[in-house]
Amino acid sequence: MALLIRGGTVVNADRAFRADVLCVGDRIAAVGADLDAPAGAHVVDAGGRYVMPGGIDTHTHMQLPFMGTVTADDFYTGTAAALAGGTTTIMDFVIPDPQQPLMDAFRTWRGWADKSAADYTFHVAVTWWDDTVHADMGVLVREHGVNSFKHFMAYKNAIMADDETLVKSFRRALELGAIPTVHAENGELVYQLQRELLAKGIRGPEAHPLSRPPEVEAEAANRAIAIAGVLGTPVYIVHVSCAESLDAIARARARGQRVYGEALAGHLVIDDSVYRHPDPAHARAYVMSPPFRPPHHQAALWQGLQGGNLHTTATDHCTFCAAQKAAGQDDFTRIPNGCGGVEERMAVVWDAGVNTGRLTPSEFVRVTSTNAAQIFNIYPRKGSVAAGADADLVLWDPLATRTLSAATQHSQGGFNVFEGRTVRGVATHTVAAGKVVYADGELRAERGAGRYVERPAFAAAGAAAFS
Ligand code: URQ
Ligand code: ZN
Ligand code: ZN
């Protein structure tokens, strides 16, 4: 089956140019002027709209068992929502319980993800350590196309990795040519601050940000960067939410250390006033970690993206409905942490990034797709509109507007952190593996059509691999 997208402006991370795009099967066959449509081809008139690489969300949690419940979006509903917003690949997480063999958890998650409507891949979390973890990391890299390992420095008494685990796992990742990633919050500090707030009787959602101030995140970011620096491995810091963590990244990069940072669409446009909403149920819906921050942090994060100290945008899509969040109505530490956004990410980053002049269209492509593909070694298969690449595309109408709302979203979480925000610039068509899966509001996501994306290890082990 051939698909010809005619009359668009192709936008890649390096340039924008008028061109047609011909897809044959699940690959892009040609990009150029005045392409002929093969007999029987499906022709879409781009009408001058942008044709960009399908979005890559480097951070989602579909169907995650967490804090005594399971997220509201499974791998089908979550990837369907992603496609409706122009994201064609998600990077999710295998999160073993402590003492659970990594390979067992990997097989479980692979089974869950089989229903995905879009392509997917997994960062595998290292939540504990012994020789079997060391061995399983090797199997995952060499036989299953895993090239990134996640470390939660938060969530004490659950999935928190202590310094011994961080050091041993970072060193193993380097041996294997894989990149360590971290959730950077000092879990011990969070735990103690939570206890102190509860002891003072401060039990509502307003306590959540008080238990996780920016310094708690920055300490862990600095520590992860220092460990990576000593061991000579790169490091990728997920959901950088505050200026203090960004400063740690900028200092390290200025010294020539290879550190990457990820910003969430939510952290870029939502501030901590949400936790002071008069309705505690509304405030609970915004409980995620790291928390939404005071306004000056959003400005810092945008400067990070513009200045090259933050590299990707993601969502940390981890949705819970109101009833699930109500588990913490008397104790904020029991509110399942997580918010949605997988469908809205690209429109929010375009509206707040491109429409304000912070980002050019090409820089938008870089931070919503290309950098993710390059950092995690799946470029140019992903992250580029070019012959030979996967036929994952999004047609973007920079003039169309949409008001984001739970009433019209495809996610199952029942809440939208961007509720009521009107954005200008939206996906009108999404092409995944050469098929039009979203067109002018009609979602044609196909259960199970998504493929597991293997990510090769980086060439030689050791620092040279990342030069
Ligand atoms: O910490 C994470 O990234 C997962 C558990 C999602 N929840 C969250 O609050 N970010
Ligand atoms: Zn996290
Ligand atoms: Zn996460």
Side-chain angles (χ1 to χ4, degrees):
M1 177 64 178
L3 166 67
L4 178 63
I5 298 172
R6 181 173 278 162
T9 295
V10 169
V11 184
N12 280 319
D14 59 344
R15 69 187 181 108
F17 55 103
R18 296 284 293 180
D20 301 340
V21 181
L22 175 64
C23 307
V24 175
D26 63 0
R27 295 289 177 87
I28 296 173
V31 179
D34 305 324
L35 296 182
D36 291 332
H42 175 191
V43 180
V44 173
D45 179 1
R49 276 167 287 184
Y50 294 127
V51 183
M52 304 189 290
I56 300 173
D57 189 332
T58 52
H59 192 151
T60 64
H61 300 282
M62 305 309 177
Q63 215 158 332
L64 176 68
F66 190 57
M67 295 181 71
T69 186
V70 180
T71 54
D73 276 314
D74 66 21
F75 276 94
Y76 171 64
T77 64
T79 50
L83 293 171
T87 290
T88 53
T89 302
I90 64 166
M91 303 188 78
D92 209 285
F93 294 82
V94 173
I95 307 179
D97 291 327
Q99 306 305 316
Q100 179 184 17
L102 270 57
M103 282 310 299
D104 284 0
F106 180 75
R107 280 188 282 269
T108 297
W109 254 267
R110 284 297 303 272
W112 291 343
D114 204 37
K115 62 174 81 76
S116 296
D119 284 0
Y120 58 93
T121 187
F122 291 115
H123 311 286
V124 177
V126 177
T127 56
W128 64 290
W129 190 263
D130 76 2
D131 290 345
T132 67
V133 175
H134 182 277
D136 277 356
M137 289 174 74
V139 174
L140 286 163
V141 172
R142 295 179 181 126
E143 300 176 25
H144 298 282
V146 171
N147 71 14
S148 52
F149 289 98
K150 175 73 174 291
H151 306 79
F152 291 93
M153 299 171 77
Y155 306 125
K156 176 183 170 73
N157 299 328
I159 55 177
M160 186 174 93
D162 63 14
D163 284 0
E164 177 185 2
T165 296
L166 293 176
V167 170
K168 290 179 174 176
S169 182
F170 278 38
R171 189 185 295 282
R172 180 59 168 157
L174 180 62
E175 282 171 15
L176 295 166
I179 184 167
T181 82
V182 297
H183 171 134
E185 287 184 299
N186 182 310
E188 188 61 44
L189 271 175
V190 170
Y191 181 76
Q192 296 304 332
L193 291 173
Q194 286 178 332
R195 304 275 75 79
E196 287 169 16
L197 286 157
L198 290 173
K200 291 175 184 172
I202 306 174
R203 308 181 70 85
E206 73 283 359
H208 180 68
L210 304 177
S211 68
R212 315 175 93 100
E215 297 78 2
V216 165
E217 180 184 331
E219 184 282 330
N222 272 298
R223 181 159 35 109
I225 289 168
I227 292 170
V230 168
L231 298 178
T233 179
V235 64
Y236 177 96
I237 302 182
V238 307
H239 50 44
V240 175
S241 77
C242 61
E244 290 83 350
S245 295
L246 176 60
D247 290 347
I249 294 171
R251 284 195 302 272
R253 289 182 59 86
R255 293 194 301 268
Q257 191 174 342
R258 191 164 293 282
V259 180
Y260 299 107
E262 172 191 278
L264 301 187
H267 285 146
L268 284 166
V269 299
I270 297 169
D271 67 42
D272 63 342
S273 60
V274 295
Y275 298 120
R276 296 186 289 277
H277 192 280
D279 176 1
H282 186 92
R284 281 198 295 271
Y286 287 90
V287 167
M288 68 162 295
S289 298
F292 295 103
R293 303 290 190 189
H296 72 274
H297 293 285
Q298 287 96 61
L301 296 179
W302 280 111
Q303 289 167 357
L305 282 175
Q306 290 173 277
N309 285 314
L310 294 177
H311 305 86
T312 58
T313 57
T315 59
D316 201 354
H317 188 91
C318 186
T319 50
F320 300 100
C321 65
Q324 291 173 295
K325 290 280 192 176
Q329 60 187 355
D330 301 321
D331 174 351
F332 73 94
T333 68
R334 298 184 56 221
I335 301 169
N337 282 207
C339 294
V342 75
E343 182 172 352
E344 295 82 15
R345 173 180 68 109
M346 293 179 81
V348 166
V349 174
W350 181 279
D351 186 60
V354 177
N355 292 344
T356 60
R358 289 172 168 139
L359 301 174
T360 66
S362 282
E363 290 165 342
F364 169 83
V365 167
R366 180 161 289 289
V367 302
T368 58
S369 183
T370 307
N371 274 353
Q374 292 177 338
I375 292 167
F376 294 107
N377 211 17
I378 50 178
Y379 181 86
R381 174 187 172 188
K382 302 287 188 185
S384 173
V385 180
D390 283 4
D392 295 347
L393 303 163
V394 56
L395 257 63
W396 199 264
D397 182 344
L399 303 179
T401 63
R402 181 171 301 159
T403 299
L404 306 177
S405 172
T408 53
Q409 70 185 17
H410 292 86
S411 167
Q412 300 301 302
F415 187 84
N416 191 308
V417 291
F418 304 107
E419 186 69 38
R421 177 181 293 267
T422 298
V423 292
R424 179 165 46 85
V426 294
T428 61
H429 294 68
T430 305
V431 176
K435 293 181 181 174
V436 179
V437 292
Y438 178 76
D440 294 323
E442 183 195 353
L443 183 56
R444 307 169 192 157
E446 184 185 332
R447 193 180 184 90
R451 302 162 299 181
Y452 174 67
V453 178
E454 298 206 357
R455 292 174 285 123
F458 297 87
F466 298 97
S467 57

